[in-house]
Structures are given as C-alpha cells and as structure tokens.
Amino acid sequence: MPFTRVLRRALPLALLSGLAVGTTALATVLVVPTASAAGHPTNAGKVYRWGNSQWHDGFTEPLWRSWHVNRPKQVRNQHGMLTIEAGRRPHTTSATLTGHARRYGRWETRVRANQYSTGHTPYRVVAELIPTAGARYHCGARNIVLASYKLGAHRAHMSVRTLPDDKFSASLRRNLGPGHFHTYAVEVTKSHVSWFVDAQVRRTERRPAVTSGIKYRVRFRLVATPGKQMNPGRMQMDWIRYYTLERRNARSIDAPRLHRSTYGHAC
C-alpha cells in the first residue's frame, strides 16, 4: 500500500521571562517540510491506479528467507530498508527474490544509493528482473533492468533484452546523489513494455521483439568491476511491490519508444 514517510521536527514556543533582568519573549519554530512539499515524487502504482499490490516487501522485519543473498554480512534490513553494502575489493553483492515469479504485471521499487569515497572505480547500482530458471539466463540476455547507474553518475538507464541478442534501452537524467530516492517501475504485457520513473511513464515499447513471455523474479545488485579497487558504497530499497494487470492504467502510457540495438554479451 503506497505510503510517504513524513519527518517533522518542531521546537515548542518558549517564553523566557526575565528573572534577573527583563527579557522579551523568545519563540523559535523549526519545521522540516513534508515529503510532498520537499518535492519527493509519489509512485506510479498510485498515479496510474494499479490497485492494491498483490505482493510487497516493506523491509520492516528481518530479511525474509525468500531473499537469497550472496554475501550475508553485507545485506540486511536497516531502518526499514533493504541495504546492500560493498567495500574496496571488487566483489559484486546481490539480493535475489527466489519466490513470487510472474510472467506479466507491474513491478515498482523505491531506491537510493551512495558511495563513501572517490578516487577509484564506482560500483554500478542495478535493480532488475531476471529469468526464474538459471538455464534461461543466457548471460543476461533476457533481463529487464528497471534502473542501472554508476555511483556518482547523473543518468539512470533501463533496458529490456530478449533472445537472440536484442536490446531495447533508454536513459533519464536524475539527481542520483546521496539521500535522493527515486521510484522505478516496469509494466510488462504480451504486447508492450513501459518504463516509469518517479511516477511518470517515460518509454513505451510495442515492437514484438521486446517481449519474451518468460517468468521473472526480482534482483538487486551492487556490481563491481573485476580487478579494480572500488569506492565503497551502498544501495537501499525502501520497498518493492508487484501489481497485476487487472486494472487498466488510469492515464495514458503513450510515450517515446526505446532505442533498439544489439546486446553483445548474449550466450
């Protein structure tokens, strides 16, 4: 169920009367703007009225067993967020949802990321859908990437890959600096794939080659560059949700189509 975190701090009015010497009343009020006032976007599920999510994880409890992590000491729930951390050694860290596989539907997540130093190689943040069966992975040639960017960059990338080596992609300039959350979503149907960022549709691709009809599961990764010293960093997911296609979009999803190219790593 969509929600917005709101933080408010207020110092109560303080009336200081002069006990030794006469003073005037002093009042101080400090208010931190609400999420909406600060410009934080809502989510596509709410704007396009996808209904209640069929499945979601708000990461308010210890990490569910359905999440498989490759480096348990570096993946945990922290303050209601799935947190993935990575150090200087070039080790990719990932969290993969082993259950809830779906062929079609809408997936949406709220993500932020940060690196703690510069001067070396930045990690790449990746939020994606991958085939449910390892034999179908084909070196990433069937993945749908909701968001991908290097820490310190200013553009979020998405892509849809299908066999034998098709790649459909797009990018969008965003403020991806520390503390800035953004929502990313994809709608996958038999006839199209749409990409949403910060509650707005950005691309809709209808060419037949964009759909593969396979079942997907969710994966989050901080991807290292082999052989390089990395800048320590982390990525955090506030939530992940899945919606069915039962409800039609309340707004048009007409948008420019994706750029079509070749995926060179298919196998």
Side-chain angles (χ1 to χ4, degrees), residues 19-256:
L19 299 177
V21 293
T23 60
T24 59
L26 173 65
T28 304
V29 178
L30 174 63
V31 178
V32 175
T34 65
S36 58
H40 291 286
T42 182
N43 57 81
K46 181 177 180 180
V47 171
Y48 290 84
R49 299 181 185 176
W50 293 342
N52 294 329
S53 56
Q54 185 186 79
W55 176 91
H56 74 276
D57 194 344
F59 305 115
T60 58
E61 301 174 357
L63 200 62
W64 297 345
R65 292 183 179 180
S66 53
W67 287 98
H68 171 77
V69 300
N70 66 337
R71 300 182 185 280
K73 292 183 179 180
Q74 295 171 235
V75 182
R76 67 188 187 281
N77 282 6
Q78 184 181 45
H79 308 304
M81 294 174 285
L82 173 58
T83 301
I84 299 177
E85 295 187 338
R88 296 189 181 279
R89 294 183 178 181
H91 296 156
T92 295
T93 307
S94 66
T96 305
L97 184 64
T98 58
H100 198 77
R102 294 293 185 272
R103 199 178 311 276
Y104 303 112
R106 295 136 170 168
W107 291 260
E108 186 168 29
T109 187
R110 188 169 185 253
V111 182
R112 71 177 180 182
N114 183 27
Q115 62 179 353
Y116 302 118
S117 66
T118 58
H120 297 286
T121 304
Y123 280 93
R124 176 172 289 277
V125 171
V126 182
E128 61 189 337
L129 306 179
I130 64 173
T132 55
R136 298 181 178 180
Y137 189 68
H138 291 280
C139 302
R142 284 184 162 183
N143 293 14
I144 298 179
V145 178
L146 283 73
S148 173
Y149 56 90
K150 288 186 177 181
L151 292 176
H154 302 286
R155 295 192 75 87
H157 300 262
M158 78 86 62
S159 63
V160 183
R161 306 172 198 145
T162 57
L163 294 176
D165 57 1
D166 284 308
K167 179 180 178 180
F168 297 85
S169 60
S171 67
L172 184 68
R173 187 172 180 83
R174 296 281 91 175
N175 183 350
L176 302 172
H180 289 274
F181 274 108
H182 297 281
T183 58
Y184 305 95
V186 290
E187 177 179 84
V188 182
T189 76
K190 293 180 179 180
S191 62
H192 72 266
V193 174
S194 292
W195 182 44
F196 303 79
V197 181
D198 292 338
Q200 296 183 35
V201 64
R202 308 292 179 167
R203 294 286 189 275
T204 292
E205 179 58 63
R206 301 182 186 278
R207 283 174 283 188
V210 78
T211 58
S212 61
I214 63 173
K215 287 186 176 181
Y216 295 101
R217 57 183 175 176
V218 176
R219 181 171 70 178
F220 298 109
R221 292 188 292 163
L222 272 180
V223 181
T225 302
K228 298 290 186 178
Q229 184 173 344
M230 308 299 295
N231 298 328
R234 74 176 182 184
M235 65 184 294
Q236 292 181 303
M237 281 58 66
D238 196 12
W239 43 259
I240 173 72
R241 298 170 184 158
Y242 170 82
Y243 304 84
T244 70
L245 299 174
E246 184 177 356
R247 287 195 178 188
R248 297 181 61 181
N249 286 296
R251 296 186 179 185
S252 171
I253 58 167
D254 287 341

